[in-house]
Amino acid sequence: MSERFYVNCGLELGAAAIQGAEAHHLAVVCRLRPGDVVCLFNGDGREYHAVILEAGKRSVELDVQRVEAPERELPFHLEVAVPLPKGDRAQFLVEKLTELGVKRLVPLRTARSVVHPGESKLEKLERWAIEASKQCGRNVLLSIAPLTDWAVYCGGGDLPEQRWLAHPGRAGGVSPLRTMPADRVLAVGPEGGFTEEEVERACAVGWQRIGLGPRILRVETAAVALAAWAGLPGTL
Ligand code: SAH
């Protein structure tokens, strides 16, 4: 696969330009030169194969010669709602959820959550999703929702029928693999766990509680394990 670069604007056959950090990455870090071919994407599901005409540190001129729309998305909506873990672990979470094909990440505020991202943190999450998309070949970006209260989110009327909430302490539970591939949302609690009241409130409005085994997983491990599990029916 040729080196991939993200541009935050419309793309079509013909002239294109890359500016700022992505231009620096192309010209200085990757040392690409006129005549080299790269792949541009902007999150619209397509990729644009382009030859470099001029490579400056701040601006790169290209000619898009071919447009493709490879199928790399899950055939259903997969959403993960989770309180953000701290520091690097949030980056790990965004990176892995992007690779696994999750379409939307909803940062949660719950009774016991401690990290409540502001605008600048949410922008960082978007940047990490772009970096992961460059690496894994995804042409649709993981969308990042604003910080949302669990009480509001779990009762939301527009959620799909398949809603799973991970909560330790119950053997077995519903296996996502036994259900038909369909739109689905998954919820994971904070390090302190969901409160029993939060779990009951969700189960009362149709969420299914599931266990992830006898060990307690960290927030990001639980989210990634659950997303991988729930994403499989569409990819096998
Ligand atoms: N201290 C909490 C655990 C929190 S782990 C407690 O004992 O309840 C963080 C989150 O990861 C949990 O809220 C849950 O959503 C998920 N999780 C971790 N391990 C799990 C397991 N074995 N089964 C189900 N969910 C789990």
Side-chain angles (χ1 to χ4, degrees), residues 166-168 188-194 210-213 215-217 219 222:
H167 194 57
V188 169
E191 288 305 342
F194 282 119
I210 54 170
L212 296 171
R215 291 169 302 283
I216 297 295
L217 311 177
V219 174

Side-chain angles (χ1 to χ4, degrees), residues 175-191:
S175 162
L177 290 178
R178 275 190 250 123
T179 65
M180 292 298 289
D183 294 350
R184 52 193 56 180
V185 294
L186 315 168
V188 169
E191 288 305 342

Side-chain angles (χ1 to χ4, degrees), residues 110-194:
T110 70
R112 296 186 185 141
S113 56
V114 285
V115 179
H116 298 133
E119 273 306 307
S120 67
K121 181 71 185 199
L122 292 173
E123 274 168 27
K124 259 195 196 162
L125 302 187
E126 276 161 13
R127 193 65 231 170
W128 293 333
I130 289 170
E131 288 306 319
S133 300
K134 285 166 73 171
Q135 176 273 324
C136 76
R138 215 172 154 187
N139 294 314
V140 177
L141 297 181
L142 168 71
S143 103
I144 316 264
L147 180 67
T148 306
D149 280 322
W150 172 244
V152 174
Y153 180 76
C154 79
D158 51 357
L159 293 177
E161 218 166 281
Q162 294 190 13
R163 281 164 272 170
W164 288 300
L165 167 144
H167 194 57
R170 183 180 290 182
V174 180
S175 162
L177 290 178
R178 275 190 250 123
T179 65
M180 292 298 289
D183 294 350
R184 52 193 56 180
V185 294
L186 315 168
V188 169
E191 288 305 342
F194 282 119

